[in-house]
Amino acid sequence: MKQVKTAAALAFACAVIAATIAGCGNPAPPANAPPRTFASAEEVELNFRGRTFVLGDNNQIAQVRPPDWPKDKFLKLPFWFGVNILVPGVMAPKESDFYVISEATLEKPLDTPGEWMIEAGSSLVKQETVLVTTRTRYLAPGKILPTIVQYIGKREFKRPDGKTVNIPVLREVSLPMKWTLGGTIPASYARYRT
């Protein structure tokens, strides 16, 4: 009788362990998870890494799609507005997140090849930002076409007055946006090679 109880207890313990292990591999999604607004990192990497893209007309949320997608299909990304100086914490960028940088101007190349100091942000507040290019080689200063970038944190810089400042750093993910407005790209935009 004792052997039967021990065997039953052992079988029950094995069943509990097996059920626990099976449940750990596939966690259930949260019941009330909010719908995702922006494209996932996987979607950005798969569709835009080292490729050009088309930007939609929405000036609040960037609508991006590879040139070969239908015109009504796109992914959403936030625009880069930098670190909000007027209201800290509002729309604060998060490290490793993806953004579309627009309304930016290349100011000067930095000492490291492929790095530029740019002025970037909304039309109201421009902020110095470092742009690290990966495939695009800019030839001279000027406006830059919208580009998908990844925020990689801040870097310390010394100003001419000796003051140390922390400046946001963006790494290029896509190639510059495909020009779709007809004609050639205006002369005010920086020329580049890929």
Side-chain angles (χ1 to χ4, degrees), residues 70 120 135 156 180:
R135 297 196 49 172
E156 278 191 2
T180 58

Side-chain angles (χ1 to χ4, degrees), residues 25-58:
N26 299 316
N32 294 328
R36 193 166 39 92
T37 302
F38 300 118
S40 69
E42 182 180 20
E43 289 171 317
V44 173
E45 292 288 346
L46 181 66
N47 293 294
F48 302 110
R49 174 66 67 183
R51 299 174 61 196
T52 191
F53 66 99
V54 175
L55 182 63
D57 296 333
N58 190 325

Side-chain angles (χ1 to χ4, degrees), residues 14-142:
C14 288
V16 168
I17 290 170
T20 302
I21 290 172
C24 289
N26 299 316
N32 294 328
R36 193 166 39 92
T37 302
F38 300 118
S40 69
E42 182 180 20
E43 289 171 317
V44 173
E45 292 288 346
L46 181 66
N47 293 294
F48 302 110
R49 174 66 67 183
R51 299 174 61 196
T52 191
F53 66 99
V54 175
L55 182 63
D57 296 333
N58 190 325
N59 61 5
Q60 300 298 313
I61 293 177
Q63 298 173 331
V64 294
R65 64 178 174 82
D68 58 342
W69 279 14
K71 290 184 179 182
D72 60 345
K73 180 181 177 185
F74 53 83
L75 297 173
K76 295 178 183 178
L77 288 173
F79 281 110
W80 172 260
F81 293 121
V83 178
N84 196 317
I85 298 165
L86 301 177
V87 186
V90 175
M91 297 179 69
K94 293 179 179 60
E95 283 188 36
S96 300
D97 277 1
F98 296 91
Y99 298 87
V100 172
I101 189 166
S102 65
E103 299 183 24
T105 305
L106 293 170
E107 294 295 317
K108 62 180 180 182
L110 298 176
D111 293 335
T112 304
E115 291 191 359
W116 287 80
M117 187 66 71
I118 65 174
E119 282 193 0
S122 69
S123 56
L124 297 175
V125 178
K126 295 287 187 189
Q127 181 172 339
E128 282 189 318
T129 304
V130 174
L131 175 63
V132 179
T133 61
T134 54
R135 297 196 49 172
T136 305
R137 189 171 141 235
Y138 287 100
L139 307 176

